C-alpha cells in the first residue's frame, strides 16, 4: 500500500499525471459548496464541476498547435480576444508548457 506508487499517480513510468479540474486560462475550479434541495427541503451537498474541454489551438507565436484544458467560458474568451496567443498574454498563461 502506497510504497511503490508515486504522488502524481503515474507509477508505471508514463508521463500522464493526475490534474485538478481547473481551467488553464481562467482558473475556474469546482464549486464544492453546492446544495441540492429536495421537495421536503432536505439539503444535500454535491459538487458543481467546471465544464472542461480538451482543445487544440494553433499558436502563431510558437508556430505549432497547443493543447489546453479550457472551460467553455474560457473558449468564448479565446474567441473574444481573437486567438489563443492574445488570450494567453492577457491572462498570463505560458503556452510553452502546453
Amino acid at each position: 500500500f502506497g510504497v511503490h506508487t508515486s504522488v502524481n499517480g503515474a507509477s508505471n513510468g508514463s508521463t500522464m499525471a493526475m490534474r485538478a479540474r481547473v481551467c488553464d486560462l481562467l482558473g475556474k475550479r469546482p464549486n464544492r459548496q453546492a446544495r441540492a434541495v429536495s421537495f421536503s427541503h432536505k439539503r444535500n451537498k454535491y459538487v458543481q464541476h467546471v465544464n472542461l474541454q480538451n482543445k487544440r489551438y494553433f499558436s502563431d507565436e510558437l508556430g505549432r498547435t497547443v493543447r489546453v484544458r479550457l472551460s467553455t467560458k474560457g473558449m468564448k474568451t479565446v474567441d473574444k480576444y481573437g486567438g489563443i496567443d492574445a488570450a494567453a498574454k492577457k491572462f498570463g498563461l505560458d503556452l510553452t508548457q502546453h
Side-chain angles (χ1 to χ4, degrees):
F1 168 73
V3 177
H4 298 290
T5 58
S6 66
V7 177
N8 64 359
S11 61
N12 60 357
S14 72
T15 58
M16 200 74 167
M18 294 294 289
R19 294 181 56 200
R21 293 180 179 178
V22 179
C23 175
D24 288 338
L25 185 68
L26 301 178
K28 291 173 79 72
R29 43 185 62 247
N31 176 17
R32 303 199 45 90
Q33 298 161 356
R35 301 220 178 221
V37 182
S38 68
F39 178 74
S40 64
H41 211 64
K42 216 189 303 185
R43 294 179 179 145
N44 300 310
K45 289 183 184 177
Y46 76 103
V47 179
Q48 289 175 333
H49 292 291
V50 181
N51 187 3
L52 288 178
Q53 308 291 324
N54 290 317
K55 192 95 166 96
R56 287 191 324 205
Y57 289 102
F58 184 79
S59 171
D60 292 327
E61 293 179 4
L62 298 177
R64 64 178 177 89
T65 58
V66 290
R67 293 179 61 151
V68 286
R69 196 173 184 196
L70 294 180
S71 61
T72 48
K73 179 153 185 176
M75 291 163 54
K76 287 175 71 174
T77 305
V78 169
D79 292 341
K80 173 183 166 184
Y81 283 100
I84 190 69
D85 295 319
K89 187 181 288 184
K90 167 75 175 163
F91 290 97
L93 175 64
D94 185 17
L95 290 177
T96 58
Q97 303 294 319
H98 296 279

